[in-house]
Amino acid sequence: MDSTRLALAALAVPLALAAAAPPGHAEQARVFQADLGPLSGSGARGSATMALDGDLLTVEITTGGMTADQPHLQHLRFGGRDTCPPPQAAGDGALSTAELVPYTGDIQVSLTTEGDTGPQSALAVTRMPAADAGGTLSYRRAFRVPDRVAAALEAGRVTIVQYGVDVNGNGRYDSDAGLSDLDPSLYAEATFPATCGQVKPVPQGGTSAGEGGAAGADPRLLGLGALLIAAAGGALAWGRRLRRGR
């Protein structure tokens, strides 16, 4: 899937939700965005949109090029250099979690499909999303986060990391690459980092003249900012409906 089609796919669900969102929700939420790039030679790419309203975080992720029909661990991390590792960080082509941690820091949030979202659920494989037969992973969930996570998001210190790389290309995780350095009950392929993205706050409104305002800015980027804000409004409305339904 090329980058344009992937971007459209990533925005399709949030924009549909935004159409039903009551006015003003986007202004009440802080909006964040991340572009996910490949690690460990995965070739996977995706995007994430988040909305933070108090301690309620709504997350939407779409990633293409993942190992098809397999579960993929995914986490929010911070506490290291708070950045994604450069390509040269992996000496042998497949990045280990030990090589990842100095850059991204430790696991702070587990992006599970249900139940607990704390670090203790980092390896909850049965509660992580799976890619479809075409290798596309779609994730959407709203949950509460601790103050330290909200503060790290605001400060731009958070990275998203997704895992699971079929190194030998046989369509499944197996023992060819050994066992995971996170848990020897898992294959290493299941915990090789596949994508990483820096979560960045989307600026709220414009700045005044003389302070780096929108004058001269690429109108395509301004349009993208408007789409992200609309998407966050829709995602937030979805999160609130989910919370009321429980």
Side-chain angles (χ1 to χ4, degrees):
M1 181 180 292
D2 61 36
S3 58
T4 300
R5 290 173 60 196
L6 181 58
L8 290 174
L11 286 170
V13 171
L15 289 177
L17 290 169
H25 279 185
E27 289 81 9
Q28 297 170 15
R30 195 73 169 91
V31 184
F32 307 87
Q33 190 268 340
D35 294 321
L36 305 178
L39 293 177
S40 306
S42 69
R45 293 186 181 275
S47 64
T49 302
M50 301 185 189
L52 181 66
D53 182 27
D55 64 353
L56 180 66
L57 181 66
T58 303
V59 181
E60 298 199 19
I61 306 172
T62 301
T63 309
M66 302 291 274
T67 302
D69 296 321
Q70 295 294 308
H72 292 273
L73 304 175
Q74 48 180 22
H75 307 129
L76 300 184
R77 289 177 170 265
F78 59 87
R81 299 174 195 171
D82 298 328
T83 187
C84 291
Q88 60 268 29
D92 59 358
L95 195 71
S96 70
T97 50
E99 293 168 325
L100 177 75
V101 169
Y103 295 94
T104 62
D106 295 325
I107 296 167
Q108 306 291 340
V109 174
S110 301
L111 296 174
T112 55
T113 56
E114 61 181 7
D116 176 69
T117 58
Q120 60 271 24
S121 291
L123 300 179
V125 177
T126 59
R127 293 189 289 114
M128 291 290 177
D132 65 19
T136 296
L137 184 150
S138 299
Y139 176 81
R140 181 178 67 180
R141 191 177 179 192
F143 51 88
R144 296 188 181 281
V145 294
D147 289 345
R148 59 186 173 79
V149 173
L153 283 167
E154 293 279 3
R157 297 177 51 212
V158 175
T159 56
I160 299 178
V161 181
Q162 297 175 302
Y163 311 74
V165 182
D166 177 21
V167 175
N168 60 9
N170 67 352
R172 58 187 174 84
Y173 304 144
D174 60 25
S175 61
D176 277 7
L179 301 179
S180 170
D181 59 347
L182 282 177
D183 185 339
S185 70
L186 298 174
Y187 295 133
E189 288 186 332
T191 60
F192 283 149
T195 74
C196 182
Q198 189 80 32
V199 181
K200 300 177 181 179
V202 175
Q204 293 177 309
T207 54
S208 60
E211 297 180 357
D218 187 333
R220 292 172 298 177
L221 297 180
L222 297 178
L224 177 59
L227 288 175
L228 288 171
I229 291 170
L236 178 59
W238 174 84
R240 286 174 171 165
R241 290 197 297 270
L242 177 64
R243 180 176 58 185
R244 287 196 295 267
R246 290 182 173 176

